């Protein structure tokens, strides 16, 4: 079956093409003049209730994020503050971008034995697939920091170290249950501020 | 001879064969933990249960001898159910810390859980806690919680190394593997216990937490540690350079060869790979200017060395080959020396101290290819070496080519220094820096053994094959290629492209290797001459004729 068969067949009027282009332009124009008029009224203080175009005034205002959105990684800790990670390298193994670099070491307390001496994620390669989070048997890595901005001037600046990963905290307030237009949280910190 | 029917297939076996061995002959693989073909049979773990007709209960396949007309079902519901329940019981107190465990990836609990287990755990009690990281000896760590008490390691120490260090103590849930009071697992074969431990209870300190086994690649090769030439697999990690402290060769594992080392290797040989990734590796050709070493290219170095040899009379050129070289290297080197008419030739060195040896695997000759040296026509007696050093000290040599040796290992250091100081041009060709290379004028870097394709001839004249596990570091090259390069400006054309070509020429020209090729040598080697028949007889006595050749799990 042709995949296109599931679409509604075009009417004769639609197949003539140009009139529909005109329809589209009319729609765009209508929004344009509608917004123009309402912003004008708002700027002279006539009305404040009606909403204009839905645009976020980034970076002062940020778009709310879904709870499932994968943001920058972090490493979770045990109650005593040590990393939960046991350096099993499941995440390193599953990572399709091969951007996790773990070096394992022996821990002094013998009940856990193993922990990461080094845990680097090269964000320059990461594709944010979240497989590392899925693969982790210890719930030691999560992508819930709410941090989305981590631009850097060079590739080295894109390297997240174990210390950085452990220092991030989950930013629950940046997530809303429903990305409601009303809920506009305070800006999430950038990587440099976190 | 008894006939046995297993899963509808009938086979005739030797009297005394057990069911597990008969099944193996038919290609039917039964799970096992305690059974190891190289050790005595104890029937300890009960994972190999099978249903035997006319017997009321499931029986262990490893301990039940075959009787004529026996009918065995390995896949019947009863047998499968029995094995599944045994596995569940074995895992009752097992910590399942697989993410931490070095055995994950080659663990037979995981393996059999996937094949025959897959039950829902009925455990609600807490697991019995035991010692997690017990230092057993110089190379081995024990996790008592993970041990499933199969006693393979205990039997290894009793029957193979005969050092009796380990035992099982206490009973029931509290039974645990431990060293006997006051003992440590400290024998020359201790790490074999790690190889045969089917779970991660015994781990190797050197490998512990360095890399995960699924990152490693295995290449069949030969241990260069002594003239036994144990068959091994070289495990390498080249993809993830941040693991194993950047070492490419991560560990060595013995490989089953009934005629050489069976399932074992010694600890001395096992750690012989360290030199390959050592900081002392030589990776660039170098020449000395005054007190300075100048790095240079192969072209420049070869040209300079060839000029020195060309402008010197043949009887003033000394050549010091080595029993560390492969047959290929030695063949090419011999040709080179022959065509140039070099007469001042030495090869072997006597060690300063008496080397470790025993009557099992470790031979007193810690060189892998002394026999090959002799077969290639080099002098194997160490007197030739003493003579050559004397000639150097007497100022009779103008050029001296030294392969691999560190002369200070066999002669007094000051005698070596003063003798080498008398030789205007000393050329060192070897993989690692040492006291002799420091006294040289030219250094040509050679590939280390994990980087070589080639063959060694062991003490019993068995020709065995090394395979290249990693690429040579830097600009290093196999010795025969260096000799080939050196021959060209001297008019000695050695027309070989691959080590296989060299070996083909060797087999053609040297009757000692007649009829051999890399294909006939294969993975298990080619036994030469009169030894062959004797060794074959020994082999027949020792092992059932069909065994899985798996290095980890015999
Ligand atoms: S999100 Fe995907 S690409 Fe990024 S580190 Fe995790 S597994 Fe690798
Ligand atoms: S999967 Fe989890 S526990 Fe394992 S190394 Fe990655 S973060 Fe650590
Ligand atoms: S031995 Fe290690 S890998 Fe095997 S089941 Fe136990 S903890 Fe897991
Ligand atoms: S340590 Fe390993 S080999 Fe030894 S008894 Fe325990 S499970 Fe068996
Ligand atoms: S393998 Fe048969 S009882 Fe252990």
């Amino acid at each position: 079956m042709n995949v296109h068969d599931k679409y509604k067949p075009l009417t004769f009027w639609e197949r003539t093409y140009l009139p529909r282009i005109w329809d589209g332009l009319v729609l765009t124009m209508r929004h344009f003049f509608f917004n123009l008029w309402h912003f004008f009224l708002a700027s002279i203080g006539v009305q404040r209730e009606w909403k204009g175009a839905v645009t976020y005034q980034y970076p002062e205002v940020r778009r709310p994020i879904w709870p499932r959105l994968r943001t920058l990684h972090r490493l979770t800790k045990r109650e005593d503050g040590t990393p939960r990670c046991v350096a099993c390298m499941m995440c390193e193994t599953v990572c399709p971008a091969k951007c996790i670099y773990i070096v394992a070491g022996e821990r002094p307390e013998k009940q856990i034995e193993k922990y990461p001496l080094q845990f680097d994620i090269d964000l320059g390669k990461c594709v944010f697939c979240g497989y590392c989070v899925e693969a982790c048997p210890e719930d030691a890595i999560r992508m819930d920091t709410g941090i989305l901005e981590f631009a850097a001037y060079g590739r080295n600046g894109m390297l997240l170290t174990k210390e950085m990963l452990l220092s991030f905290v989950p930013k629950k307030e940046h997530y809303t249950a429903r990305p409601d237009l009303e809920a506009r949280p305070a800006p999430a910190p950038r990587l440099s501020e976190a | 001879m008894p006939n046995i029917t297993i899963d509808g297939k009938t086979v005739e076996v030797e009297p005394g064969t057990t069911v597990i061995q008969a099944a193996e002959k038919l290609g039917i693989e039964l799970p096992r933990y305690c059974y190891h073909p190289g050790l005595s049979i104890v029937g300890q773990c009960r994972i190999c249960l099978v249903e035997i007709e006319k017997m009321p209960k499931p029986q262990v396949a490893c301990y039940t001898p075959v009787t004529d007309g026996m009918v065995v079902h390995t896949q019947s519901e009863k047998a499968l159910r029995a094995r599944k329940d045994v596995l569940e019981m074995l895992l009752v107190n097992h910590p399942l810390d697989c993410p931490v465990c070095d055995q994950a990836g080659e663990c037979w609990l995981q393996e059999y859980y996937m094949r025959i287990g897959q039950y829902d755990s009925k455990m609600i009690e807490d697991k019995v806690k035991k010692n997690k990281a017990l230092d057993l000896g110089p190379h081995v760590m024990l996790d008592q919680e993970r041990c499933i008490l199969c006693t393979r390691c205990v039997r290894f120490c009793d029957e193979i190394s005969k050092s009796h260090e380990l035992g099982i103590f206490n009973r029931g849930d509290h039974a645990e593997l431990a060293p006997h009071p006051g003992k440590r697992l400290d024998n020359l074969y201790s790490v074999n216990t790690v190889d045969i431990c089917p779970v991660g209870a015994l781990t190797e300190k050197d490998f512990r937490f360095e890399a995960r086994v699924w990152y490693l690649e295995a290449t069949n090769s030969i241990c260069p540690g002594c003239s036994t030439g144990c068959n091994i697999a070289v495990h390498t990690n080249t993809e993830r350079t941040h693991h194993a402290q950047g070492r490419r060769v991560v560990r060595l594992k013995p490989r089953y060869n009934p005629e050489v080392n069976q399932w074992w290797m010694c600890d001395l040989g096992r750690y012989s790979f360290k030199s390959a990734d050592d900081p002392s590796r030589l990776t660039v050709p170098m020449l000395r200017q005054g007190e300075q070493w100048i790095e240079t290219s192969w072209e420049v170095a070869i040209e300079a060395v060839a000029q020195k040899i060309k402008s010197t009379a043949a009887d003033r050129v000394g050549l010091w080959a080595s029993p560390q070289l492969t047959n290929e290297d030695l063949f090419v080197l011999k040709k080179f020396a022959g065509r140039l008419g070099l007469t001042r030739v030495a090869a072997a060195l006597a060690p300063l101290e008496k080397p470790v040896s025993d009557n099992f695997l470790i031979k007193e000759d810690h060189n892998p290819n002394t026999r090959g040296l002799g077969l290639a026509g080099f002098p194997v007696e160490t007197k030739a070496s003493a003579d050559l050093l004397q000639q150097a000290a007497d100022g009779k040599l103008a050029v001296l080519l030294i392969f691999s040796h560190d002369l200070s290992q066999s002669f007094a250091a000051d005698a070596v220094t003063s003798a080498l100081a008398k030789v205007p041009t000393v050329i060192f060709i070897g993989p690692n820096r040492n006291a002799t290379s420091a006294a040289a004028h030219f250094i040509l870097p050679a590939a280390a053994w994990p980087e070589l394709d080639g063959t060694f001839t062991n003490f019993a004249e068995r020709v065995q094959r090394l395979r290249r596990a990693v690429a040579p570091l830097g600009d290093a090259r196999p010795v025969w290629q260096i000799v080939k390069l050196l021959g060209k400006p001297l008019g000695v054309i050695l027309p070989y492209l691959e080590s296989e070509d060299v070996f083909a020429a060797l087999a053609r020209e040297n009757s000692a290797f007649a009829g051999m090729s890399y294909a006939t040598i294969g993975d298990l080697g080619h036994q030469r001459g009169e030894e062959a028949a004797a060794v074959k007889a020994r082999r027949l006595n020792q092992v059932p004729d069909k065994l899985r050749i798996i290095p980890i799990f015999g």
Side-chain angles (χ1 to χ4, degrees), chain B residues 180-446:
Chain B
H180 284 288
K183 284 214 173 182
R184 272 164 66 76
L185 183 58
D186 189 2
N187 62 59
L188 284 173
Y189 296 91
S190 65
V191 189
N192 288 300
T193 56
V194 177
D195 300 337
I196 57 175
C197 180
V199 301
L202 298 176
T203 47
E204 198 183 330
K205 279 189 195 166
D206 186 68
F207 178 68
R208 216 169 133 81
F209 306 163
E210 292 284 316
R212 302 302 321 232
V213 291
W214 53 84
Y215 296 148
L216 305 183
E217 283 188 51
T219 312
N220 291 348
S221 193
I222 300 299
C223 174
C226 80
S227 60
T228 301
C230 287
N231 289 219
I232 57 167
V234 181
H235 288 199
T236 52
N237 162 45
T238 45
E239 295 275 303
R240 295 174 193 258
T241 47
H242 54 293
H243 286 163
Q245 295 148 35
R247 286 183 322 207
R248 301 165 302 156
V249 182
V250 183
R251 61 176 185 180
L252 306 183
K253 286 278 181 192
R255 181 161 57 86
Y256 176 65
N257 186 335
E259 297 174 29
V260 184
N261 55 320
Q262 298 178 302
W263 298 267
W264 324 116
M265 75 183 291
C266 74
D267 294 356
L268 304 175
R270 194 182 293 262
Y271 297 112
S272 60
F273 65 86
K274 294 281 173 75
S275 64
D277 293 318
D278 202 73
S280 71
R281 271 303 295 276
L282 296 163
T283 53
V284 208
M286 291 193 283
L287 47 92
R288 196 216 293 273
Q289 262 171 22
E291 286 306 297
Q292 287 262 302
W293 280 109
I294 311 281
E295 295 194 348
T296 178
S297 66
W298 274 108
E299 288 76 24
V300 173
I302 288 289
E303 187 54 39
V305 171
Q307 273 312 318
K308 295 276 183 199
I309 299 176
K310 204 180 238 171
S311 58
T312 312
D315 72 330
R316 285 176 56 79
V317 178
L319 186 131
W320 214 317
S322 161
Q324 301 276 344
L325 302 182
T326 61
N327 289 325
E328 287 76 358
D329 295 340
L330 291 167
F331 170 72
V332 170
L333 194 54
K334 184 72 193 167
K335 276 207 143 170
F336 175 82
R339 298 255 191 96
L340 291 181
L342 308 183
T343 49
R344 300 189 191 273
V345 173
L349 283 183
L352 271 181
E353 290 155 26
K354 199 170 153 47
V356 185
S357 67
D358 61 22
N359 56 5
F360 183 38
L361 292 179
I362 310 172
K363 291 281 175 298
E364 189 158 336
D365 179 5
H366 282 200
N367 290 302
N369 203 20
T370 309
R371 275 298 167 101
L373 196 72
L375 293 177
F378 283 96
V380 287
E381 76 285 8
T382 50
K383 193 177 153 295
S385 296
D387 290 350
L388 191 61
L389 193 72
Q390 191 56 45
Q391 286 158 11
D394 295 347
K396 293 204 179 114
L397 299 180
V399 175
L400 178 56
L401 291 140
I402 304 174
F403 288 86
S404 305
H405 286 301
D406 182 6
L407 303 183
S408 60
Q409 296 291 311
S410 316
F411 305 106
D414 43 344
V416 174
T417 323
S418 65
L420 290 185
K422 292 265 175 52
V423 185
T425 309
V426 177
I427 301 137
F428 180 82
I429 301 138
N432 292 80
R433 211 180 294 278
N434 58 32
T436 306
S437 74
H441 302 97
F442 293 92
I443 287 179
L444 305 179

Side-chain angles (χ1 to χ4, degrees), chain A residues 86-90 92-93 98 100-107 110-114 118 137-138, chain B residues 97 99-102 129-130 132-133 141 143 145-146 208-212 214-215 239-240 242-243:
Chain A
V86 294
C88 67
M89 301 178 198
M90 289 295 154
E92 178 173 337
T93 305
K98 291 200 171 69
I100 306 184
Y101 308 94
I102 301 170
V103 175
E106 202 148 346
R107 224 174 151 117
K110 292 299 182 197
Q111 283 309 317
I112 302 165
E113 279 182 285
K114 202 177 172 195
Q118 176 198 319
E138 299 283 329
Chain B
D97 43 8
V100 177
C101 180
D102 260 353
K129 295 273 180 222
K130 294 179 199 162
K132 274 303 286 170
M141 289 289 259
D143 183 333
E145 289 186 343
R146 286 188 205 139
R208 216 169 133 81
F209 306 163
E210 292 284 316
R212 302 302 321 232
W214 53 84
Y215 296 148
E239 295 275 303
R240 295 174 193 258
H242 54 293
H243 286 163

Side-chain angles (χ1 to χ4, degrees), chain A residues 75 85-91 102 119 132 135-138 140-141:
Chain A
L75 284 177
C85 173
V86 294
C88 67
M89 301 178 198
M90 289 295 154
C91 50
I102 301 170
F119 194 120
C132 47
C136 181
E138 299 283 329
I141 187 164

